[in-house]
Amino acid sequence: MDQSLQDIKQSFKQIRKERRKENFKAFFETFLKNKIAVAGGVLLLCYTFVALFAPWIAPYDPFEMDLFNKLQPPSLDHWMGTDDKGRDILSRIIYGSRLSMGVGFAAVLFGASFGIMMGMVAGYYGGWVDAIISRSLDVMLAFPGILLALAIISALGPSLFNVTVAVGVFSIPLFGRIARGSTMEVRHMEYIEAVRSLGGNDGIIIFRHIFPNILSPLIVQGTLRLATAILSAAGLSFLGLGAAPPSPEWGAMLSSGRDFFFSAPYIAIFPGITIALLVMGFNLFGDGLRDALDPRMKS
């Protein structure tokens, strides 16, 4: 009897392994056909490369001030010019990629961790557990995201860490609703019933069998949410609620550059273009993932 159960489990593992290979191959082929999504992916790889190797790429120290060369226009020495304190804008943008992308990834990871956990528990157990969790998510969704973030930062105080927490909190209900709906779709499928009949407990079923099968929409939402998180974090820093000077955060650089928009517009223009390109890259890449992972969304 034990041997037969082991054989059944091994066959399940083999089937899952073969399905993963087939799904990955189909995804890769479909994604490569979408040239716009590939362009978005290449753009994200470039940003990631710059963030990882910032100390070797940046031509100057992003914090070093040179008041004799302040407000210099773009030139061969300073490709994007210098700010009001003589700091090289290109170097600050390169180092700022670490902060802006780091805040975005940390915020989405924070929101996804809590949201997915709450959504899977609600979708799996249903009943009063589902009612309590769903109403909690609805209450969070009732507040506009940026206003909820402002309220959280007002309570915790302005800092880059608190911005990460605030942006992550208003991401929780989005992941929670997707995880709940996807869990409710798969919890009564035959392979789940088979695992339950073989003695699998709720923890094994939820994390080993349901979670891997609801990842596709969550990955798409996470990629698209990164663009929103980075934009929201930059907006909060622009308002003076995020990174404190002299931190080279893109939103803070935009805020300091607005005072010189007519005399030295490049101080604000280059960080703004950098944010716009990164957000566009995430959106293009996320759209491509959606089309590749969900055949119903193919155009």
Side-chain angles (χ1 to χ4, degrees):
M1 183 68 178
D2 292 338
Q3 184 62 37
S4 63
L5 287 176
Q6 290 295 328
D7 292 339
I8 293 173
K9 290 181 180 179
Q10 284 297 117
S11 63
F12 270 123
K13 290 181 180 179
Q14 186 64 28
I15 291 171
R16 287 201 303 269
K17 187 176 180 181
E18 292 176 356
R19 284 183 60 188
R20 289 194 190 103
K21 288 182 179 178
E22 293 175 358
N23 292 338
F24 179 77
K25 183 179 179 181
F27 158 76
F28 197 67
E29 291 176 350
T30 304
F31 183 81
L32 288 180
K33 292 178 182 178
N34 191 335
K35 303 304 180 184
I36 296 178
V38 172
V42 171
L43 187 60
L44 295 182
L45 284 176
C46 293
Y47 271 90
T48 304
F49 178 83
V50 168
L52 291 175
F53 298 98
W56 295 274
I57 298 174
Y60 298 95
D61 184 340
F63 302 102
E64 183 179 357
M65 294 186 291
D66 183 5
L67 297 180
F68 293 103
N69 290 308
K70 65 179 181 179
L71 300 177
Q72 293 294 313
S75 63
L76 292 177
D77 292 329
H78 301 280
W79 289 4
M80 294 185 179
T82 60
D83 63 10
D84 58 310
K85 294 179 176 59
R87 297 170 297 196
D88 183 65
I89 295 175
L90 175 60
S91 299
R92 290 180 62 78
I93 286 177
I94 290 173
Y95 272 87
S97 62
R98 290 183 159 189
L99 291 176
S100 296
M101 294 181 70
V103 169
F105 277 102
V108 171
L109 182 62
F110 176 85
S113 300
F114 284 93
I116 292 172
M117 178 72 68
M118 294 170 67
M120 287 196 302
V121 170
Y124 182 79
Y125 289 104
W128 63 270
V129 175
D130 182 23
I132 292 175
I133 293 177
S134 296
R135 298 297 78 77
S136 301
L137 296 177
D138 289 342
V139 169
M140 296 175 69
L141 280 173
F143 294 92
I146 195 68
L147 291 182
L148 180 60
L150 285 171
I152 293 172
I153 294 176
S154 298
L156 299 178
S159 73
L160 205 57
F161 175 79
N162 292 341
V163 166
T164 304
V165 173
V167 175
V169 166
F170 78 72
S171 298
I172 289 176
L174 298 175
F175 288 101
R177 296 186 71 176
I178 293 174
R180 174 182 175 272
S182 300
T183 301
M184 293 178 70
E185 287 183 5
V186 303
R187 67 175 179 176
H188 294 306
M189 288 187 174
E190 293 180 356
Y191 73 92
I192 299 296
E193 296 296 336
V195 173
R196 189 178 288 113
S197 65
L198 291 172
N201 57 39
D202 291 344
I204 292 176
I205 293 173
I206 291 174
F207 294 105
R208 291 187 58 183
H209 299 281
I210 291 180
F211 178 64
N213 287 283
I214 65 171
L215 269 178
S216 295
L218 294 171
I219 290 173
V220 173
Q221 178 61 37
T223 305
L224 296 172
R225 196 64 189 167
L226 279 168
T228 304
I230 291 172
L231 198 58
S232 299
L236 291 169
S237 294
F238 179 83
L239 296 174
L241 301 175
S247 178
E249 202 276 333
W250 294 338
M253 292 175 66
L254 267 174
S255 180
S256 62
R258 62 182 171 176
D259 296 331
F260 305 93
F261 191 77
F262 293 102
S263 59
Y266 47 85
I267 298 178
I269 288 176
F270 286 119
I273 292 175
T274 305
I275 295 171
L277 287 176
L278 180 59
V279 171
M280 182 181 68
F282 274 116
N283 283 326
L284 295 178
F285 185 71
D287 287 341
L289 284 181
R290 180 189 59 193
D291 294 342
L293 292 173
D294 189 355
R296 295 171 298 180
M297 297 300 296
K298 292 179 182 178
S299 55

